[in-house]
């Protein structure tokens, strides 16, 4: 089924999977955990969720540190634009995600010049966001008839992920994490202390562009699990929670990944045993952890 | 040995000349203040030393190299930098960035990493910031942040320290403390210091030289020549008095840019 993981028209496979999911809890933990891993669609969902959570945990930590959550939000809306453009053009949705998120990252980098104030930058980001969202709605309306996959595009799904899609996710995640690992120190320097970093020979501008592109990649990946609107659940909330709990960079990144994995696995398991969507569980669990961290740490 | 020298230098930003015909020399190990009214181009001078502001004319040499080529031997503290409460990074990590923050790759455990940790602890001790270096830098006071930022600038054992208004936004005891710290670093670690000052009084007793930037150019001189009522009044264009306190120290009174910011 190639690139049609959540193609615009839900396939009958999807419907059948949905009905077969509601097996309910047996209240025998061994059987229940076993049931989670029985079906290939669930294995793929867990694999995809794990890859996406690790990547979102790492990239999200830097995004929160750099105060680019607004940029991340904008990229997530361009993910929706990309998906709807892909549906309209009849190309794989994944291609739409990556292309349009990449373009969005370039536009954002162009909007944040070398010495712009924070205010100018967020106004420019907001304008790009509104435009991207408008384009997305245009594509949806140009696609005659009802775009049945719309709620999946916006709010995510874990059904119908194929093993080849898991492989694409893995390759992109490995590339993105490797890039961030290589640039970790200069990126941290440029994020916390751009003036001194520049004087120390760090290419602050170039790193900013590079990071936005990696963020675009990351958002394009994460959207495929959480949907365009709920990207924040994995990208922002675990990272923000981790930064409340520790001020050590390495510990922060590790904790951010751990929290993203926790909410993804729990969210997928809860969605498997209930009728509610995975996006709801992941966002609610992330939010609960964030609130706990704010209250107790 | 000369640390910094400019020869007929000119700086232009967006077609406007900031200063021109600037010729000056700072010897190694000196503590030199850069004074001048707001907007006269003091920070531009510092950025020119770093090679961040290219010269439109003239030439410059910094630690024996063209500007920008010796930056690994320069510690830099930019103007008005503070971390707000949401910056959840430890002070010690900010200091560490000054040591190896520009390096690619992840720091691997080993001898090099242990040496880095030792050096960070050492400079933090040097600026007497050990007590709060492990707290998030955004939660520290202005004076505490400034000490840690000076430690960051010192981490790589620089031969030249460029401090752009390090005393700005500090209260009086902290101004005196940081000024004394910079002076002892200059003497004991044999570091040349170029310090842009808003308020000359806290550093007046320590200076080896003064560079004053005004009227589209910059001139250097000995502190006793520059710190006089006539020179300062001409420099700032307002009446300024230089008084001698009972302990023999000079006190500058009347210049809005030299001490006026305490009023608000």
């Amino acid at each position: 089924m190639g690139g049609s993981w959540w193609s615009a028209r839900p396939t009958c496979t999807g419907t059948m999977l949905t009905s077969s999911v509601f097996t309910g809890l047996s209240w025998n933990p061994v059987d229940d955990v076993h049931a989670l891993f029985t079906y290939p669609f669930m294995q793929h969902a867990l694999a995809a969720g794990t890859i996406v959570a690790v990547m979102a945990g790492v990239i999200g930590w830097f995004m929160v540190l750099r105060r680019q959550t607004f940029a991340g939000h904008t990229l997530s809306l361009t993910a929706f634009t990309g998906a709807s453009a892909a549906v309209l053009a009849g190309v794989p949705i994944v291609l739409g995600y990556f292309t349009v998120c990449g373009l969005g990252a370039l536009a954002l980098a162009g909007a944040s010049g070398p010495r712009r104030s924070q205010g100018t930058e967020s106004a420019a980001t907001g304008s790009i966001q509104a435009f991207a969202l408008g384009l997305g709605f245009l594509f949806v309306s140009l696609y005659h008839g009802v775009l049945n996959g719309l709620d999946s595009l916006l709010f995510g799904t874990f059904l119908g992920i194929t093993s080849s899609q898991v492989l694409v996710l893995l390759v992109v995640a490995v590339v993105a994490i490797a890039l961030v690992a290589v640039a970790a120190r200069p990126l941290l320097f440029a994020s916390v202390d751009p003036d001194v970093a520049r004087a120390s020979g760090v290419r602050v501008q170039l790193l900013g562009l590079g990071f936005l592109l990696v963020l675009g990649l990351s958002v394009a990946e994460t959207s495929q699990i959480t949907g365009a609107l709920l990207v924040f659940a994995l990208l922002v909330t675990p990272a923000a929670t981790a930064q409340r709990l520790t001020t050590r960079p390495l510990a922060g990144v590790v904790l951010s990944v751990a929290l993203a994995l926790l909410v993804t696995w729990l969210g997928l398991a809860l969605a498997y045993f209930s009728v509610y969507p995975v996006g709801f569980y992941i966002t609610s669990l992330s939010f609960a952890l964030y609130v706990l961290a704010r209250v107790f740490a | 040995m000369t640390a910094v020298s400019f020869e007929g230098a000119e700086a232009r930003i967006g077609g406007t000349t900031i200063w021109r015909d600037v010729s000056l020399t700072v010897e190694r190990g000196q503590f030199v203040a850069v004074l001048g009214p707001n907007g006269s181009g003091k920070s531009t001078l510092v950025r020119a030393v770093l090679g961040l502001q290219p010269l439109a004319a003239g030439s410059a040499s910094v630690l024996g190299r063209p500007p920008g080529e010796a930056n690994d031997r320069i510690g830099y503290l930019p103007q008005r930098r503070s971390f707000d409460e949401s910056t959840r990074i430890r002070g010690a990590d900010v200091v560490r960035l000054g040591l190896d923050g520009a390096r690619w790759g992840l720091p691997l455990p080993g001898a090099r990493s242990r040496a880095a940790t030792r050096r960070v602890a050492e400079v933090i001790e040097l600026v007497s910031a050990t007590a709060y270096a492990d707290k998030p830098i955004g939660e520290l006071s202005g004076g505490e942040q400034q000490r840690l930022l000076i430690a960051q600038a010192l981490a790589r054992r620089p031969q030249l320290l460029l401090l752009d208004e390090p005393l700005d936004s500090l209260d009086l005891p902290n101004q005196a403390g940081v000024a004394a710290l910079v002076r002892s670093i200059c003497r004991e670690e044999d570091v040349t210091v170029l310090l842009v000052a808003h308020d000359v009084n806290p550093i007046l007793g320590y200076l080896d030289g003064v560079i004053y930037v005004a009227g589209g150019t910059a001139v250097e001189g000995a502190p006793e020549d520059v710190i006089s009522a006539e020179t300062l009044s001409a420099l700032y264009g307002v009446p300024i008095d230089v008084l001698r306190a009972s302990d023999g120290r000079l006190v500058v009174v009347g210049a809005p840019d030299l001490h006026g910011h305490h009023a608000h």
Side-chain angles (χ1 to χ4, degrees):
Chain A
M1 47 196 268
S4 67
W5 75 303
W6 337 313
S7 66
R9 298 185 192 85
T11 58
C12 58
T13 332
T15 322
M16 274 156 52
L17 281 172
T18 312
S19 52
S20 72
V21 165
F22 305 136
T23 48
L25 276 173
S26 69
W27 297 107
N28 174 340
V30 179
D31 284 354
D32 286 336
V33 170
H34 181 72
L36 271 180
F37 294 101
T38 306
Y39 297 101
F41 84 89
M42 203 55 204
Q43 292 163 358
H44 293 158
L46 283 166
T50 303
I51 294 165
V52 163
V54 171
M55 173 165 175
V58 174
I59 312 292
W61 188 86
F62 279 98
M63 183 185 75
V64 170
L65 184 76
R66 294 172 64 81
R67 293 165 206 194
Q68 286 186 320
T69 50
F70 192 40
H73 186 199
T74 300
L75 288 173
S76 72
L77 292 181
T78 64
F80 161 71
T81 311
S84 54
V87 169
L88 185 65
V91 298
I93 291 183
V94 180
L95 190 67
Y97 276 129
F98 286 126
T99 311
V100 179
C101 282
L103 290 173
L106 288 175
L108 289 176
S112 59
R115 288 184 164 268
R116 302 272 170 86
S117 70
Q118 198 77 34
T120 321
E121 188 170 331
S122 62
T125 307
S127 307
I128 292 170
Q129 182 180 104
F131 178 57
L133 197 55
L135 275 183
F137 282 127
L138 173 69
F139 297 147
V140 169
S141 63
L142 281 178
Y143 185 83
H144 293 294
V146 185
L147 189 63
N148 282 320
L150 188 60
D151 57 342
S152 298
L153 291 182
L154 292 174
F155 300 106
T157 181
F158 63 107
L159 300 175
I161 301 172
T162 66
S163 54
S164 64
Q165 284 151 355
V166 171
L167 191 65
V168 171
L169 289 180
L170 183 66
V171 169
V172 171
V174 166
V175 168
I177 291 173
L179 284 173
V180 167
V182 166
R185 279 186 287 182
L187 184 61
L188 182 66
F189 204 176
S191 307
V192 174
D193 206 353
D195 285 343
V196 179
R198 199 175 286 119
S200 307
V202 174
R203 307 275 302 271
V204 174
Q205 197 82 9
L206 199 66
L207 275 178
L209 170 65
F211 181 74
L212 275 173
L213 283 171
V214 170
L215 183 61
L217 270 184
S218 180
V219 164
E221 282 228 332
T222 314
S223 311
Q224 301 178 25
I225 299 297
T226 62
L229 292 185
L230 303 182
V231 165
F232 267 28
L234 281 183
L235 214 51
V236 180
T237 326
T241 310
Q243 289 195 7
R244 294 302 304 179
L245 296 177
T246 175
T247 50
R248 291 166 186 267
L250 187 61
V253 172
V254 169
L255 186 60
S256 173
V257 168
L259 292 172
L261 280 173
L262 181 73
V263 297
T264 305
W265 288 338
L266 275 176
L268 282 170
L270 289 168
Y272 177 83
F273 289 114
S274 73
V275 295
Y276 304 112
V278 64
F280 161 73
Y281 286 114
I282 292 180
T283 45
S284 305
L285 290 166
S286 306
F287 183 64
L289 286 175
Y290 181 69
V291 170
L292 284 176
R294 285 301 293 235
V295 171
F296 293 107
Chain B
M1 262 306 253
T2 305
V4 178
S5 72
F6 278 52
E7 198 57 56
E10 175 175 348
R12 297 171 72 88
I13 296 177
T16 309
T17 299
I18 306 298
W19 34 252
R20 51 192 297 233
D21 297 328
V22 173
S23 297
L24 51 89
T25 307
V26 177
E27 298 300 327
R28 289 227 174 146
Q30 284 195 327
F31 187 160
V32 174
V34 180
L35 304 176
N38 279 345
S40 59
K42 303 188 293 286
S43 296
T44 307
L45 188 72
V46 169
R47 291 172 52 80
V49 171
L50 283 166
L52 296 176
Q53 166 69 46
L55 293 178
S59 64
S61 161
V62 178
L63 300 173
R65 313 273 307 161
E69 288 186 12
N71 283 11
D72 54 341
R73 290 181 283 149
I74 300 177
Y76 173 48
L77 189 128
Q79 189 178 10
R80 268 184 220 105
R81 193 161 48 119
S82 62
F83 299 90
D84 68 38
E85 208 251 323
S86 67
T87 308
R88 303 279 301 167
I89 292 287
R90 291 183 310 162
D93 290 316
V94 175
V95 175
R96 172 81 184 250
L97 286 173
L99 186 66
D100 60 6
R103 259 192 217 129
W104 298 103
L106 291 168
L108 298 172
R112 192 185 214 176
S113 178
R114 280 195 300 277
T117 311
R118 264 201 310 279
R119 177 62 186 158
V120 168
E122 196 177 286
V123 280
I124 289 172
E125 181 70 42
L126 183 68
V127 300
S128 317
T130 309
Y132 44 82
D134 281 343
K135 288 190 183 163
I137 195 157
E139 291 174 12
L140 301 177
S141 75
E144 290 168 340
Q145 290 191 14
Q146 205 61 286
R147 280 173 184 273
L148 286 165
L149 291 175
I150 290 173
Q152 184 202 49
L154 285 172
R156 277 193 297 192
R157 302 180 197 279
Q159 294 164 1
L160 172 63
L161 203 51
L162 300 176
L163 308 172
D164 198 346
E165 306 213 3
L167 308 180
D168 195 37
S169 79
L170 300 185
D171 57 20
L172 284 176
N174 267 309
Q175 288 192 1
V178 171
L181 168 68
V182 172
R183 139 88 166 204
S184 75
I185 289 163
C186 175
R187 292 290 177 270
E188 283 155 34
E189 313 273 307
D190 194 28
V191 178
T192 312
V193 176
L194 217 56
L195 185 149
V196 177
H198 206 72
D199 180 351
V200 70
N201 285 317
I203 51 170
L204 206 48
Y206 304 144
L207 296 176
D208 299 311
V210 172
I211 295 170
Y212 54 97
V213 187
T217 188
V219 182
E220 66 181 321
E224 56 273 19
D225 297 336
V226 179
I227 310 296
S228 72
E230 294 76 24
T231 327
L232 289 179
S233 299
L235 176 59
Y236 286 87
V238 290
I240 292 171
D241 285 322
V242 177
L243 310 175
R244 192 166 289 276
S246 55
D247 59 357
R249 287 188 306 160
L250 294 175
V251 182
V252 177
V253 185
D257 282 328
L258 285 178
H259 75 153
H261 74 124
H262 295 314
H264 52 79

